[in-house]
Amino acid sequence: MIPHLPAPQPHYNSVATMIKILEEKGFLDHESVGNLYRYFPIISAKTIKKHAMKDIVSQYFDNSYPRMLAFFCQRTKSFGR
C-alpha cells in the first residue's frame, strides 16, 4: 500500500482519516492531480513544533514550562549525567 512504510502498514482508511483530520485542523491542504490528490503542508515546521510543545506542556505539566524544565532536569540527573 505505502511503499515507504515498513510492515505492518496502516490501513488505507486509517491514513485517510488522519489526513482528513490534519486538513480540518489547518495543517494540510491538497490539490487535484488527475484523479488523485497531492497533499502539502500549509504551516511551517516551526509552527507545528510550537503547537506540539504547547500541547505537551498543557497535557502533562499543567501549562507550566518551569515544571516541564524541572522534570527534564530530574530525568537527566537520574541517568547519571
Side-chain angles (χ1 to χ4, degrees), residues 14-29:
S14 299
V15 174
T17 299
M18 290 298 296
I19 289 173
K20 180 181 175 186
I21 291 168
L22 290 170
E23 266 195 293
E24 288 171 355
K25 290 186 173 191
F27 292 106
L28 292 178
D29 201 357

Side-chain angles (χ1 to χ4, degrees), residues 5 17-18 23 29 36 40 45 56 73 78:
L5 292 178
T17 299
M18 290 298 296
E23 266 195 293
D29 201 357
L36 303 173
F40 51 90
I56 290 169
C73 287
S78 68

Side-chain angles (χ1 to χ4, degrees), residues 7-68:
Q9 293 186 349
H11 190 272
Y12 175 84
N13 289 344
S14 299
V15 174
T17 299
M18 290 298 296
I19 289 173
K20 180 181 175 186
I21 291 168
L22 290 170
E23 266 195 293
E24 288 171 355
K25 290 186 173 191
F27 292 106
L28 292 178
D29 201 357
H30 71 273
E31 66 180 2
S32 296
V33 180
N35 61 347
L36 303 173
Y37 291 125
R38 185 181 76 85
Y39 292 90
F40 51 90
I42 56 175
I43 61 173
S44 69
K46 183 178 180 179
T47 301
I48 292 170
K49 289 175 187 176
K50 185 177 177 181
H51 180 78
M53 184 58 68
K54 186 176 180 181
D55 284 349
I56 290 169
V57 172
S58 171
Q59 291 177 21
Y60 298 103
F61 301 102
D62 298 323
N63 285 321
S64 171
Y65 283 92
R67 283 186 186 178
M68 182 185 70

